[in-house]
Amino acid sequence: MGVIEGEKKVFMTGNEAVAWAALAAGAEIMYGYPITPQNEIMQYWTRLAPKHGRKFLQTEDELSAGFTTIGGVLTGKRAFTATAGPGNVLMQEPMSMAEAMRIPTVVVVQQRGGPSTATVIYSQQEVTLTCFGGNGEGLRVVYSTSSHQELYDYTIKAFNTAWKYRFPTFVLADGYQAKMRESLLIYDPEERGIEMVPTEAFVGKPGMPGEDRPPAHLRNTYNIEEELEEVLKKDIQEYEQMAPEIIEYDEFNTDEADILVIAHGVVFRSAAMAVRKLADEGQKVGYFRPITLRPFPQEQLRQAAAKAKQLMVVESAYGQLLKIVKDNLYGMDLPIHTLLRPGVGVTPEEVLADLKNVLEGRED
Amino acid sequence: MNPEKLPKRVLEAYIGEYASGKSENAVNRALELAHLGRKVTLVDLDLVEPCYTLRPLKRKLEEEGVTVLAWDTGEMIGLGETGNILKPEVRFCLRHPGDVILDIGYGSFGAQVLNLVEGAAEEQDLKVYAVINIARPMTGTVADIVDHVRSLGRVDGLINNSHLGEDTDLDFVKQGAQIVKEAAAILGLPVVATSVMEVLAPSLGKIDWYGHPVRVIKRYLPQAFW
């Protein structure tokens, strides 16, 4: 491909990191509709694409952006889109279809404030939507990144996860990651030994359907309940089989923790700084960070939680990660403290102050 | 060292590639001039991402004696998305007495905002500087910089602002100075300065490897969130 020669240290925004990653991953076309804070993904893609023979289609809205992404994938293109907030809401209808038809779409979400248009700035309020949006069972993969390097790495990975397992795959970041500037290494995945999973057309294959090959019979509509149940059972089974292969998480100091902090995305960075500071001071404080929010690292969190005295969930939402955590810890009896800031950033100092309150016996 | 010979009024506009460091250079320049006891007005002309409006940078600049012409966050609607209304006093910013530093939105469309400023075309002392960071992938080579600067319209000088955030070392700044110098020669423009972060400044001194004045940058923009 030769988009990037060797490894190159660059200084850029998260949105640009996504555009470069998609380019390096061999994405052939982006479909999109502008919305802050993801605009520069589109903008950089449209600056880069013509130089590398790639394409872009601006659609009339996010419904269309999602459906055209599915259309692109059906013809065998490595296609993607990006959105945020109310755009992500609209995107759920096409992504439900992708779920139903097992279409390997890739969607990058830069969360903004909600509900509705709220702020263009930042939040972690699209966790429920991205993990479980649509009128189905949430059979999708959601990577929650926390840095520009991860945005680059996981955007590349998202294409491979999607095309290998054929579930819609999301890279979930936020307005801070989108707009913030930091340095990262960009690289050609093949040069790093990351093989890009080949793409193939779902429709229009050569040969006579039914004779030379099975017909491409892609369905999102069924006549009777049992037909649907049969398909869903198979999809759910395949999803659960895939889960252990793709689940990712990070943990620190989980042995005998007086408090185990649970956070994801950019908030994890604040949480980790606070936890490491207290750990340096000799406190028994650890963290657990889910990287895949769907499928969720349930066993790993339960093992870490089993060694902890109490938990603290920190997020820029009013309990969306908390709900997932509680669901995954069902049956375990542990106090859970919270630092919930819907639509607002969380600093390391704020996490530190709350942790100290809990450690010193003052309520949170 | 020779202190920079400053004109009676310093009138400077900072333009360039997205995330090239326009605002950081503009903020630092305004503070540098203010700390010399000069009267300074800093103007937010970035209609896409008006960053001084974001907490808490505007207040901090005003505390340091810089007059900031920018909306307060609470005065705005649909920040960054619906387009922004130019604050009326911004249009007449060049009529403010003293030094005026203009921070301008990115790219050629950003630079066109100068058309909205009363007197910008006629003002002889106004200098338009393009801020260049070679770590920005689309302004990484001499050829790319030349194309980029030519797309911007009027430019009176280049500023080498090459850095990698916290991972910057002097070698990288030097590489930037070399590349920006070559681009400037092709464009027939002066290199006005090499900007370097506070931590590296002591090892560089007042003049860089190629004789460009060195400006010391303290990073304020991380406080603006985005």
Side-chain angles (χ1 to χ4, degrees):
Chain A
M1 281 184 300
V3 170
I4 297 155
E5 282 165 35
E7 294 195 341
K8 202 170 155 194
K9 190 117 192 178
V10 293
F11 185 77
M12 51 168 77
T13 64
N15 280 336
E16 290 167 82
V18 170
W20 280 91
L23 195 71
E28 294 162 275
I29 184 162
M30 176 183 186
Y31 302 87
Y33 183 77
I35 189 164
T36 312
Q38 74 77 30
N39 285 325
E40 294 82 14
I41 297 178
M42 273 177 55
Q43 199 194 351
Y44 270 79
W45 179 262
T46 54
R47 285 174 75 176
L48 295 167
K51 295 184 185 170
H52 300 278
R54 317 294 174 84
K55 291 181 173 164
F56 174 74
L57 179 69
Q58 180 170 331
T59 57
E60 69 270 34
D61 58 27
E62 288 87 350
L63 278 169
S64 182
F67 281 118
T68 48
T69 304
I70 291 175
V73 171
L74 287 177
T75 69
K77 301 290 181 205
R78 213 185 300 273
F80 75 109
T81 185
T83 191
N88 192 11
V89 173
L90 290 180
M91 200 63 81
Q92 294 309 315
E93 159 70 356
M95 290 311 117
S96 281
M97 185 186 184
E99 237 176 272
M101 293 160 69
R102 302 284 302 270
I103 308 295
T105 48
V106 170
V107 182
V108 180
V109 176
Q110 300 287 23
Q111 297 169 94
R112 54 185 270 168
S116 190
T117 41
T119 74
V120 299
I121 302 172
Y122 162 83
S123 85
Q124 291 188 317
Q125 295 172 287
E126 295 170 52
V127 167
T128 307
L129 182 67
T130 309
C131 291
F132 300 104
N135 56 332
E137 304 299 333
L139 302 181
R140 40 184 64 195
V141 177
V142 179
Y143 291 111
S144 172
T145 61
S146 72
S147 69
H148 289 21
Q149 191 63 60
E150 288 185 358
L151 268 173
Y152 190 83
D153 297 344
Y154 282 96
T155 299
I156 292 171
K157 187 178 269 184
F159 285 103
N160 274 351
T161 303
W163 280 92
K164 183 171 178 191
Y165 298 101
R166 308 274 167 111
F167 288 106
T169 302
F170 296 78
V171 176
L172 182 68
D174 56 70
Y176 286 174
Q177 292 186 66
K179 301 279 186 171
M180 197 162 72
R181 289 97 162 125
E182 61 186 16
S183 65
L184 70 150
L185 270 181
I186 61 175
Y187 52 84
D188 182 330
E190 309 270 346
E191 279 181 29
R192 276 219 182 166
I194 301 168
E195 199 181 318
M196 294 312 295
V197 176
T199 59
E200 56 166 342
F202 287 67
V203 292
K205 292 181 173 181
M208 175 69 78
E211 285 186 24
D212 306 322
R213 60 173 173 88
H217 194 202
L218 302 160
R219 298 179 71 181
N220 63 340
T221 310
Y222 300 93
N223 297 327
I224 57 169
E225 293 163 34
E226 288 76 8
E227 263 185 302
L228 169 65
E229 188 186 29
E230 196 186 325
V231 173
L232 280 179
K233 266 185 172 168
K234 180 173 161 288
D235 288 346
I236 290 166
Q237 193 202 355
E238 287 179 13
Y239 186 84
E240 285 174 351
Q241 221 163 31
M242 164 192 75
E245 296 175 31
I246 65 159
I247 274 171
E248 291 187 44
Y249 66 100
D250 186 12
E251 62 182 7
F252 167 76
N253 222 17
T254 53
D255 280 340
E256 312 290 320
D258 286 333
I259 309 178
L260 182 69
V261 178
I262 304 167
H264 77 98
V266 81
V267 172
F268 159 73
R269 283 170 73 159
S270 291
M273 283 172 77
V275 165
R276 286 183 183 275
K277 186 165 193 304
L278 286 174
D280 285 347
E281 292 168 10
Q283 300 271 18
K284 288 182 177 173
V285 180
Y287 64 66
F288 185 92
R289 170 206 176 191
I291 297 173
T292 45
L293 295 181
R294 274 296 279 162
F296 193 83
Q298 182 182 57
E299 279 316 307
Q300 294 83 351
L301 175 62
R302 290 180 77 92
Q303 279 168 24
K307 294 181 280 182
K309 289 200 180 80
Q310 47 195 340
L311 307 177
M312 180 186 282
V313 174
V314 185
E315 59 176 319
S316 291
Y318 200 66
Q320 301 197 20
L321 174 66
L322 179 65
K323 192 161 63 180
I324 296 174
V325 165
K326 282 180 176 170
D327 180 37
N328 280 281
L329 294 181
Y330 180 72
M332 293 181 78
D333 188 17
L334 270 170
I336 304 182
H337 304 270
T338 57
L339 174 50
L340 308 176
R341 304 284 309 277
V344 181
V346 182
T347 64
E349 292 76 15
E350 288 165 336
V351 181
L352 194 64
D354 269 36
L355 281 171
K356 281 186 171 164
N357 279 343
V358 174
L359 285 169
E360 288 160 19
R362 300 187 295 270
E363 239 338 279
D364 64 345
Chain B
M1 81 164 243
N2 297 324
E4 188 185 348
K5 284 195 196 73
L6 293 168
K8 192 155 166 268
R9 288 180 79 203
V10 176
L11 305 174
E12 292 173 351
Y14 289 78
I15 65 173
E17 162 74 339
Y18 184 59
S20 61
K22 299 175 295 297
S23 298
E24 199 71 90
N25 274 271
V27 166
N28 274 274
R29 181 63 163 166
L31 287 170
E32 179 198 348
L33 295 168
H35 293 159
L36 292 173
R38 296 171 69 100
K39 183 173 173 51
V40 184
T41 302
L42 180 62
V43 188
D44 190 353
L45 269 163
D46 186 339
L47 297 184
V48 183
E49 293 182 354
C51 61
Y52 309 134
T53 63
L54 292 179
R55 66 207 162 178
L57 194 52
K58 184 180 175 193
R59 202 172 53 236
K60 189 180 170 63
L61 288 165
E62 285 168 342
E63 279 167 13
E64 301 227 14
V66 175
T67 303
V68 182
L69 299 190
W71 293 111
D72 278 315
T73 310
E75 296 172 333
M76 301 180 69
I77 292 172
L79 171 65
E81 180 150 87
T82 51
N84 289 304
I85 297 168
L86 197 67
K87 196 171 191 184
E89 60 184 329
V90 162
R91 182 169 170 189
F92 302 99
C93 61
L94 288 177
R95 299 196 186 163
H96 273 245
D99 301 337
V100 183
I101 305 297
L102 298 88
D103 181 22
I104 305 221
Y106 65 90
S108 54
F109 286 98
Q112 284 170 16
V113 83
L114 271 176
N115 297 337
L116 300 176
V117 176
E118 284 286 318
E122 299 81 27
E123 179 55 67
Q124 300 291 318
D125 295 329
L126 178 64
K127 301 287 180 200
V128 180
Y129 295 143
V131 179
I132 311 286
N133 177 359
I134 62 155
R136 305 283 305 135
M138 299 185 89
T139 54
T141 65
V142 172
D144 285 346
I145 294 168
V146 169
D147 284 351
H148 164 68
V149 173
R150 283 185 177 147
S151 78
L152 293 174
R154 174 188 168 184
V155 177
D156 301 310
L158 305 187
I159 291 176
N160 167 38
N161 187 49
S162 297
H163 72 93
L164 287 162
E166 286 161 15
D167 300 328
T168 314
D169 58 29
L170 274 185
D171 266 356
F172 191 79
V173 179
K174 184 178 180 182
Q175 209 183 319
Q178 163 77 28
I179 289 174
V180 171
K181 178 177 75 96
E182 285 175 33
I186 294 170
L187 291 159
L189 293 171
V191 177
V192 178
T194 278
S195 290
V196 65
M197 276 183 289
E198 234 180 354
V199 281
L200 297 174
S203 352
L204 184 53
K206 307 287 181 194
I207 299 285
D208 82 359
W209 306 268
Y210 306 102
H212 313 131
V214 170
R215 289 191 187 175
V216 181
I217 295 287
K218 194 171 165 185
R219 291 183 77 193
Y220 290 97
L221 269 292
Q223 298 170 36
F225 289 89
W226 61 267

